[in-house]
Amino acid sequence: MLFALICKDKPGHLQVRLDTRPDHVNFLNGLNADKKLAFGGPFLDADGKPNGSLVVIEAADLAAAEAVAAADPYAKAGLFESVDIKPWNWVFNKPAEA
């Protein structure tokens, strides 16, 4: 099942994002078969600076998706003002399954 993690950064925390980014990227790239990254990237403000994230993961259930969100180095660093986790259905332009 797919879940969209919609994360909003706390105002004034850009440096936290920049400092934590390498660990965040390694974490997402390290997700395994039972918790898998589908795609993700930052939301941008009017100046083109990141101010949140959209991460879509494959997980068994909501509890597993919540565990991924809580373990993300960005979350552990206190970057996010809010994290909304929603079940999501990929309908359009879905890559062919291998």
Side-chain angles (χ1 to χ4, degrees):
M1 176 175 242
L2 292 173
F3 293 89
L5 285 59
I6 303 163
C7 310
K8 181 178 178 184
D9 292 2
K10 291 177 183 171
H13 278 63
L14 179 58
Q15 194 59 50
V16 172
R17 174 179 277 277
L18 297 175
D19 292 344
T20 312
R21 187 175 188 280
D23 291 337
H24 166 75
V25 169
N26 287 335
F27 171 76
L28 291 179
N29 284 332
L31 292 176
N32 57 34
D34 65 328
K35 295 173 191 151
K36 182 178 172 186
L37 175 67
F39 62 87
F43 292 112
L44 304 175
D45 66 14
D47 296 322
K49 293 182 180 165
N51 64 358
S53 298
L54 170 63
V55 177
V56 177
I57 60 169
E58 186 174 336
D61 54 29
L62 180 59
E66 289 170 340
V68 169
D72 187 315
Y74 278 170
K76 288 183 173 186
L79 174 62
F80 298 134
E81 179 177 278
S82 64
V83 177
D84 194 14
I85 302 172
K86 297 179 178 265
W88 188 71
N89 185 24
W90 195 338
V91 175
F92 299 102
N93 293 327
K94 183 176 181 179
E97 296 188 28

